[in-house]
Amino acid sequence: MLVPRRPQVPDWPAYLARHAEKAKDPRLAQFFSAGIPGPDTPIGETPMVALDMETTGLDARRHAIVSIGVVPFTLGRIALRERRYWIVRPQRTLHAESVTFHHITHTDIEQAPEFGEILGDLLEVLAGRLVVVHYRHIERLFLDDSVKARLGEGLMFPMIDTMAVEARFHRQSWLARFKRWIGRPPASIRLYDSRTRYGLPLYQGHHALTDALATAELLQAQIANHYQPEMPIGQLWT
């Protein structure tokens, strides 16, 4: 009888420790030094923070961040009093189509701080917490590129991606594959469609702070329905 292999878990604590030693910018050094709970830590005991951002487009090389929302939480509590929200002045042109999408206007950004000015505050909220996002390829790439452009150093850390969690059950399961085989369209794993499956309330989308709250609630629902609070975080982070 074959015993299934346990999936390899990235050694994120060691990664952060190495970067704490070699980071040149004190804000990055302090963030990396805060570390992260080990991969065997139960998710029910892990401090987390939901992160969302609005951007002028989807390509981190050509577009820019215009707002960031963060909401600290655990499986049992969402710390709304500790939430933070920033409108950020982009270095690139704000086009009309992006204004229509996220409703942040030229007037909003005229007096807004540039990303580098809020980086220290952002890292302070994220430090020591496991970051949770919905579709990590936006937040991870935009943060890393934005920090590199200003400091010449990257910013990478573990994330739980609620879209990837949802895909496990509605895109990658045998039932999902069977439905595709018989011609049924794949289930949507977008944030608000995913929330609907768990009976979570409808929020107005495309606002970074509201979407961060929506992401925190979605992870709570996913764990309650599919996992246990004792599940090691290394099984979900990426």
Side-chain angles (χ1 to χ4, degrees), residues 3 8 51 93 113 124 148 166 196 202 216:
V3 178
Q8 185 175 4
L51 166 70
T93 304
E124 185 177 346
K148 281 179 179 175
E166 201 66 4
T196 299
L202 296 177

Side-chain angles (χ1 to χ4, degrees), residues 50 73 75 78 132-135 161-166 189-201 203 211-226:
F73 74 106
L75 285 190
I78 293 178
V132 180
V133 301
H134 194 79
Y135 193 56
D161 183 348
T162 53
M163 178 179 278
V165 174
E166 201 66 4
I189 53 176
R190 297 179 66 174
L191 178 57
Y192 290 91
D193 295 321
S194 298
R195 287 174 55 85
T196 299
R197 278 190 284 271
Y198 300 97
L200 295 170
Y203 296 149
D211 285 353
L213 172 61
T215 298
E217 293 178 344
L218 176 58
L219 183 69
Q220 290 177 329
Q222 289 172 327
I223 300 301
N225 281 269
H226 301 301

Side-chain angles (χ1 to χ4, degrees), residues 177-186:
R177 291 194 294 269
F178 174 74
K179 287 181 178 179
R180 289 197 298 272
W181 183 73
I182 63 175
R184 295 273 297 275

Side-chain angles (χ1 to χ4, degrees), residues 22-32 91 114-120 123 143-155:
K22 64 182 183 180
K24 297 181 178 62
D25 188 277
R27 293 167 296 182
L28 292 183
Q30 185 172 1
F31 169 77
F32 290 130
Q91 293 180 320
E114 201 272 330
F115 175 80
E117 297 175 56
I118 64 97
L119 177 60
L123 292 177
L143 277 177
D144 189 45
D145 278 14
S146 296
V147 172
K148 281 179 179 175
R150 290 158 180 83
L151 304 180
E153 303 180 74
L155 177 63

